[in-house]
Amino acid sequence: MKPIILINFKTYESGAGHKALEIAKIADRIAKEKNVNIILAVQAADIRMIADVVSIPVYAQHVDPIEPGSHTGWTLAEDIKEAGAEGTLINHSEHRLEIFQIEKAIDIVKEEGMKTVACTPDAEVAEAISVFEPDIIAVEPPELIAGNVSVSQARPELITQAIEMVRKANKNIPVLVGAGVKTKEDVSKALELGASGVLLASGVMKSDDPEKEILELIEGLDV
Amino acid sequence: MKPIILINFKTYESGAGHKALEIAKIADRIAKEKNVNIILAVQAADIRMIADVVSIPVYAQHVDPIEPGSHTGWTLAEDIKEAGAEGTLINHSEHRLEIFQIEKAIDIVKEEGMKTVACTPDAEVAEAISVFEPDIIAVEPPELIAGNVSVSQARPELITQAIEMVRKANKNIPVLVGAGVKTKEDVSKALELGASGVLLASGVMKSDDPEKEILELIEGLDV
Amino acid sequence: MKPIILINFKTYESGAGHKALEIAKIADRIAKEKNVNIILAVQAADIRMIADVVSIPVYAQHVDPIEPGSHTGWTLAEDIKEAGAEGTLINHSEHRLEIFQIEKAIDIVKEEGMKTVACTPDAEVAEAISVFEPDIIAVEPPELIAGNVSVSQARPELITQAIEMVRKANKNIPVLVGAGVKTKEDVSKALELGASGVLLASGVMKSDDPEKEILELIEGLDV
Amino acid sequence: MKPIILINFKTYESGAGHKALEIAKIADRIAKEKNVNIILAVQAADIRMIADVVSIPVYAQHVDPIEPGSHTGWTLAEDIKEAGAEGTLINHSEHRLEIFQIEKAIDIVKEEGMKTVACTPDAEVAEAISVFEPDIIAVEPPELIAGNVSVSQARPELITQAIEMVRKANKNIPVLVGAGVKTKEDVSKALELGASGVLLASGVMKSDDPEKEILELIEGLDV
């Protein structure tokens, strides 16, 4: 598998509506030109618009552990799938689920044929969550999210541990690392430590020049 | 104001993706032909697709009390607005908010120039919520939602009380009634009791013939 | 009604177990000596121990909107009542409830013959919550809680507004003010602005000398 | 370890205050007379009163993942410990936690030297939760809780699977089974399947004769 750069648009101003579409197009173009693997996690209301235009994978940022039915205002897996989502984040630190809901959400999303990126704050939760066999596990220490120090610089041991613990429980789940990722060194260090890629948000979305920032990150892929 | 028929698509199978679009088109056509006021509350990922096609108002089913920022997977007012939502339900019985969040969500949605339909289970909460001055208040006793008896038949006094209590607190907020609404009698009874319209979901969305059901409801408008 | 000083023990180290009991005894002694009205809001597991020893009112810090039944680990009004609680805080900013749950919790607690102190962050929520007729409303702007500036100094207009809005909706509900209360001036200013007392926590619980602090606050009662 | 019978008092009317104390005394007497291992999980406000009187272990029904501080109305591990709790349920199906909170709550409770009984609805969550090394894991399929069919009769394979999955992840965690346990056959079947005991609530707490019911359950221990 080629290393992944997963860009979480969150609900940043730059990550909503036509502004989101602009950044999505830039990422799409770079991914093709450089032949790299970029995934975009966008707001539910923007999935269809963005997925219609880009050819790289568009993911949702969240899905609720629900089947079709009476669930006003919640996010249904089969609806975001039809809108064009190829996968979804689950249990992001800004949108945590109960443990049983994580199991259920992963099951439902998989049945729809979509990919699941289960987020976790530390190595132990990564091991626990690996029992539910998400397609990818993303480790993001909450205290570093949106900060200026990247997890690969500040807590490299966390990445190594998380990968080891996931391996111990279940060999085949790739691990992304996130929190504070901004430079090519952050990316190359993460890969060097055994990660399959990075998950980032503010590094790109709050950048004055998202294109330049994405190009910078991609340089880190040449390990 | 013309009486309102607000159809909540929920996350019913019939209310997702292209099936949702079909029902939306039917409602749109009937609204024009019969010159009636129909509002559709659809899933976030379907707002843009449906709002692009119909000319009746499309609402969201929920909005989170957040400003742009780090809120992965939550629903941002300005994003659904750009997608085409003209308003949103708030505090539906299947998606309740804390009291302070209701105040904040209503403020944020209004700043975006969208309409707010605040839902409430009873007359007292209707009065309390009217303090926050939503554009519309919808009273739905949870025990009757998705049931076979409509609130206008089963608990007409609740509608009268709710309207009185809202009037007491703030004269100008229209009250919709919901829960179990299915027949023209349900609609006409609601209007007769002083309501400004009805809010319904399963009556249309789980009907074998949504078109016929919408036409039936509309007959109740001729009071 | 004599002005109220309501001390919230929270889950401070000084507010748990035998340390809580010590502060409770001090408050009890001072209340008797000075003939003032002090209420203590303590942790559920400490209610019985403290209520058995002091004669001033002991309140719970929270109650859940539940009837007897299958609710493992939640707080039942009739259980804390039997333990000795004469009242309870509801909807504290650190323990918010949905609007419908506030209505239900207040009803349940009143049926048990206990007093309810409904907490609110601002004047509008105070007005909304007054619809449910709690015995007391406590206004605490969250941004000032546990801070060094008191609400009576920093935002006196909030107190005046809150009292006005409660009066507008329902004449007879006393209003306490909280957040940052520490000095006799904070107390006297609050009373001067029309409040029926103060609600505080860190001012006493994190003080090196809680007795001295309580005596200081009481001086503020002599308006 | 002797097989465990853990009785969850929930917030049943019979499980609050002096009624709770009566059942606790009965359980305590039987435990001594029959030399069996009975644990009582009681409401926070009753822990101290019951722990002062019985010599069998008294547990809390829940603890929040908090350290001492500003957490009004939440349950602090060190406070219930001082009140006499020797352990606590965590993540009961009626009181679920986010996965990260489960990790944190278990860590905090263990630091206090108390026992943790982590509850789980199924075998997969049991395996996941075993990563956090609670002292005991209790498997309770929610659909059978408070029902008339016991898990050992209705879904024996769930028990076997859960035990296997916990063993796979971590050899030394005893597994209790719950949901619908009422008869000696339920108990003996559970032990036969490899469980270390049972967790039950309504079987005893809603019985007309709790003493007779506890004696019945104990007969099941003689495998």
Side-chain angles (χ1 to χ4, degrees):
Chain A
M1 194 180 67
K2 276 196 293 189
I4 293 166
I5 293 180
L6 197 160
I7 305 173
N8 179 3
F9 283 37
K10 296 196 175 181
T11 54
Y12 288 128
E13 212 175 326
S14 61
H18 68 282
K19 293 182 187 169
L21 185 61
E22 282 320 299
I23 296 183
K25 284 177 181 171
I26 292 168
D28 188 51
R29 182 167 43 74
I30 295 175
K32 284 174 205 158
E33 284 172 11
K34 305 283 183 181
N35 192 27
V36 290
N37 195 358
I38 301 178
I39 298 172
L40 309 174
V42 307
Q43 295 180 55
D46 294 329
I47 292 172
R48 185 171 269 112
M49 173 182 68
I50 293 175
D52 278 355
V53 169
V54 304
S55 56
I56 56 176
V58 173
Y59 280 26
Q61 293 173 10
H62 176 73
V63 73
D64 289 297
I66 54 165
E67 310 276 358
S70 293
H71 308 288
T72 299
W74 300 100
T75 304
L76 180 68
E78 68 179 69
D79 189 56
I80 56 168
K81 192 200 174 180
E82 194 182 324
E86 295 182 29
T88 184
L89 302 183
I90 283 177
N91 196 45
H92 189 275
S93 67
E94 293 157 12
H95 212 141
R96 290 256 171 77
L97 291 174
E98 295 168 9
I99 187 168
F100 186 37
Q101 292 181 313
I102 295 175
E103 182 191 24
K104 205 176 158 192
I106 291 175
D107 286 351
I108 290 171
V109 172
K110 283 179 149 187
E111 268 169 48
E112 292 295 328
M114 289 189 285
K115 301 288 183 190
T116 50
V117 180
C119 302
T120 154
D122 62 30
E124 280 205 312
V125 174
E127 184 185 349
I129 229 166
S130 72
V131 170
F132 307 129
E133 305 200 340
D135 297 284
I136 294 175
I137 290 177
V139 184
E140 294 191 298
E143 65 275 23
L144 299 177
I145 289 181
N148 287 316
V149 196
S150 83
V151 60
S152 7
Q153 314 293 333
R155 300 188 54 193
E157 78 290 354
L158 178 72
I159 301 174
T160 323
Q161 274 172 27
I163 295 169
E164 270 169 26
M165 292 184 85
V166 172
R167 293 291 163 274
K168 196 174 75 176
N170 191 303
K171 286 195 185 64
N172 304 310
I173 306 176
V175 173
L176 304 186
V177 296
V181 174
K182 278 198 175 59
T183 67
K184 58 184 167 191
E185 288 79 15
D186 295 337
V187 176
S188 59
K189 182 75 181 165
L191 300 184
E192 195 188 309
L193 292 165
S196 300
V198 296
L199 169 61
L200 83 162
S202 61
V204 168
M205 303 311 292
K206 298 182 95 167
S207 166
D208 291 335
D209 189 343
E211 177 161 11
K212 195 175 149 197
E213 174 62 23
I214 298 174
L215 288 168
E216 152 101 21
L217 293 166
I218 282 172
E219 286 185 53
L221 296 176
D222 299 315
V223 209
Chain B
M1 194 180 66
K2 275 195 294 187
I4 293 166
I5 293 180
L6 197 160
I7 305 174
N8 179 2
F9 283 37
K10 295 197 174 181
T11 54
Y12 288 128
E13 214 177 325
S14 61
H18 68 281
K19 292 182 188 169
L21 185 61
E22 282 320 300
I23 296 183
K25 284 177 181 170
I26 292 168
D28 187 51
R29 182 168 42 76
I30 295 175
K32 284 174 207 159
E33 285 171 11
K34 305 284 184 182
N35 191 27
V36 291
N37 194 359
I38 300 179
I39 298 172
L40 309 175
V42 308
Q43 295 181 56
D46 294 330
I47 292 172
R48 185 171 268 112
M49 172 182 68
I50 292 175
D52 279 354
V53 169
V54 304
S55 55
I56 55 176
V58 173
Y59 280 26
Q61 292 173 13
H62 176 73
V63 72
D64 289 297
I66 54 166
E67 309 276 357
S70 294
H71 307 288
T72 299
W74 301 99
T75 303
L76 180 68
E78 68 179 67
D79 190 55
I80 56 168
K81 191 197 175 183
E82 194 182 324
E86 295 181 29
T88 183
L89 302 184
I90 284 178
N91 195 47
H92 189 274
S93 67
E94 293 157 12
H95 211 141
R96 291 256 170 78
L97 291 174
E98 296 167 10
I99 187 168
F100 185 38
Q101 293 181 313
I102 296 175
E103 182 191 24
K104 204 175 158 193
I106 290 175
D107 286 350
I108 290 171
V109 172
K110 283 180 149 186
E111 268 169 49
E112 292 295 328
M114 288 190 286
K115 300 288 183 189
T116 49
V117 180
C119 302
T120 155
D122 61 31
E124 280 205 311
V125 174
E127 185 185 348
I129 229 167
S130 72
V131 171
F132 307 130
E133 305 201 340
D135 297 285
I136 294 174
I137 290 177
V139 184
E140 294 192 299
E143 66 274 22
L144 299 178
I145 290 181
N148 286 315
V149 196
S150 82
V151 59
S152 7
Q153 313 293 333
R155 301 186 54 192
E157 78 289 355
L158 177 71
I159 301 174
T160 322
Q161 273 172 28
I163 294 169
E164 270 169 28
M165 293 184 86
V166 171
R167 292 293 163 273
K168 195 175 74 178
N170 190 304
K171 286 194 186 64
N172 305 309
I173 306 176
V175 173
L176 304 186
V177 297
V181 174
K182 277 197 173 62
T183 67
K184 58 184 167 191
E185 288 79 16
D186 295 335
V187 176
S188 59
K189 182 75 182 167
L191 300 183
E192 194 187 308
L193 292 164
S196 300
V198 297
L199 168 61
L200 84 163
S202 61
V204 169
M205 303 310 293
K206 300 183 93 167
S207 165
D208 291 335
D209 189 343
E211 176 162 12
K212 195 175 149 197
E213 174 61 23
I214 298 174
L215 288 167
E216 152 101 22
L217 293 166
I218 281 172
E219 287 184 52
L221 297 177
D222 299 316
V223 211
Chain C
M1 193 181 68
K2 276 196 292 189
I4 293 167
I5 293 179
L6 197 161
I7 305 173
N8 178 2
F9 283 39
K10 295 196 174 180
T11 55
Y12 289 128
E13 212 176 327
S14 61
H18 68 281
K19 291 180 187 168
L21 185 60
E22 283 319 300
I23 296 182
K25 284 177 181 170
I26 292 168
D28 187 51
R29 182 168 43 75
I30 295 175
K32 283 175 205 157
E33 285 172 11
K34 304 284 183 181
N35 192 28
V36 291
N37 194 359
I38 300 178
I39 298 173
L40 309 175
V42 307
Q43 294 180 56
D46 294 330
I47 292 171
R48 185 172 268 112
M49 172 182 69
I50 292 174
D52 279 354
V53 168
V54 303
S55 55
I56 56 176
V58 173
Y59 280 25
Q61 293 173 11
H62 176 73
V63 72
D64 289 298
I66 54 166
E67 309 275 357
S70 293
H71 307 289
T72 298
W74 301 99
T75 303
L76 180 68
E78 68 178 69
D79 190 54
I80 56 168
K81 191 199 174 181
E82 194 183 323
E86 295 181 29
T88 184
L89 303 182
I90 284 177
N91 196 45
H92 189 274
S93 67
E94 294 158 11
H95 210 141
R96 291 258 170 76
L97 291 174
E98 294 166 10
I99 187 168
F100 186 38
Q101 292 181 313
I102 296 175
E103 182 190 25
K104 205 175 159 193
I106 291 175
D107 286 351
I108 291 171
V109 172
K110 283 180 148 185
E111 268 169 47
E112 291 295 327
M114 287 190 285
K115 300 289 183 188
T116 49
V117 180
C119 302
T120 156
D122 62 30
E124 279 205 314
V125 175
E127 184 184 349
I129 229 167
S130 72
V131 171
F132 306 130
E133 306 202 338
D135 296 285
I136 295 174
I137 289 177
V139 184
E140 294 192 299
E143 66 275 23
L144 299 177
I145 290 182
N148 287 315
V149 195
S150 83
V151 60
S152 6
Q153 313 293 333
R155 301 187 53 192
E157 78 290 354
L158 177 71
I159 301 176
T160 322
Q161 273 172 27
I163 294 170
E164 269 168 29
M165 293 184 85
V166 171
R167 291 293 163 275
K168 194 174 76 176
N170 189 304
K171 286 196 184 63
N172 304 308
I173 306 177
V175 173
L176 304 186
V177 296
V181 175
K182 278 197 175 61
T183 66
K184 58 185 169 193
E185 287 79 16
D186 295 336
V187 177
S188 58
K189 181 76 181 164
L191 300 185
E192 197 187 308
L193 292 164
S196 300
V198 296
L199 168 61
L200 83 162
S202 60
V204 168
M205 304 309 293
K206 298 184 96 166
S207 165
D208 291 334
D209 189 343
E211 177 162 10
K212 195 175 149 198
E213 173 63 23
I214 298 175
L215 288 168
E216 152 100 21
L217 293 167
I218 281 173
E219 286 184 53
L221 296 177
D222 298 316
V223 209
Chain D
M1 194 181 67
K2 277 195 292 186
I4 292 166
I5 293 179
L6 196 160
I7 305 172
N8 179 2
F9 283 38
K10 295 196 174 181
T11 54
Y12 288 128
E13 212 176 326
S14 62
H18 69 281
K19 291 180 187 169
L21 184 61
E22 282 319 298
I23 296 184
K25 284 177 181 171
I26 292 168
D28 187 52
R29 181 167 44 74
I30 295 175
K32 284 174 204 158
E33 284 172 11
K34 303 286 183 179
N35 192 27
V36 291
N37 194 359
I38 301 178
I39 297 172
L40 310 175
V42 306
Q43 295 179 55
D46 293 330
I47 292 172
R48 185 172 268 113
M49 172 181 69
I50 292 175
D52 280 354
V53 168
V54 303
S55 54
I56 56 175
V58 173
Y59 280 25
Q61 292 173 12
H62 176 73
V63 73
D64 289 297
I66 54 165
E67 309 276 358
S70 292
H71 307 289
T72 299
W74 300 100
T75 303
L76 180 69
E78 69 178 69
D79 190 56
I80 56 168
K81 192 200 173 180
E82 194 183 323
E86 296 181 28
T88 184
L89 303 182
I90 284 178
N91 195 46
H92 189 275
S93 67
E94 293 157 12
H95 211 140
R96 291 258 171 77
L97 291 174
E98 295 167 10
I99 187 168
F100 186 38
Q101 292 182 313
I102 295 176
E103 183 191 23
K104 203 174 160 194
I106 291 176
D107 286 350
I108 290 171
V109 172
K110 282 180 149 186
E111 268 169 47
E112 292 295 328
M114 289 190 284
K115 300 289 183 189
T116 49
V117 180
C119 302
T120 155
D122 62 30
E124 280 205 313
V125 175
E127 185 186 348
I129 229 168
S130 72
V131 170
F132 306 130
E133 305 201 339
D135 296 284
I136 294 174
I137 289 177
V139 183
E140 294 192 298
E143 67 274 23
L144 299 177
I145 289 182
N148 287 315
V149 196
S150 82
V151 60
S152 7
Q153 313 293 333
R155 301 189 52 193
E157 78 291 355
L158 176 72
I159 301 175
T160 322
Q161 275 173 26
I163 294 169
E164 269 168 29
M165 292 184 85
V166 172
R167 292 291 163 275
K168 195 174 75 176
N170 189 303
K171 285 195 185 66
N172 304 309
I173 306 176
V175 173
L176 304 188
V177 296
V181 174
K182 277 197 174 62
T183 66
K184 58 183 168 192
E185 288 79 16
D186 296 336
V187 177
S188 59
K189 183 74 181 166
L191 300 184
E192 197 188 307
L193 292 165
S196 300
V198 297
L199 168 61
L200 83 163
S202 61
V204 167
M205 303 311 292
K206 298 184 95 166
S207 165
D208 291 335
D209 189 343
E211 176 162 12
K212 195 175 149 197
E213 174 62 23
I214 298 174
L215 288 167
E216 153 100 21
L217 293 166
I218 281 172
E219 285 184 54
L221 297 177
D222 299 315
V223 209

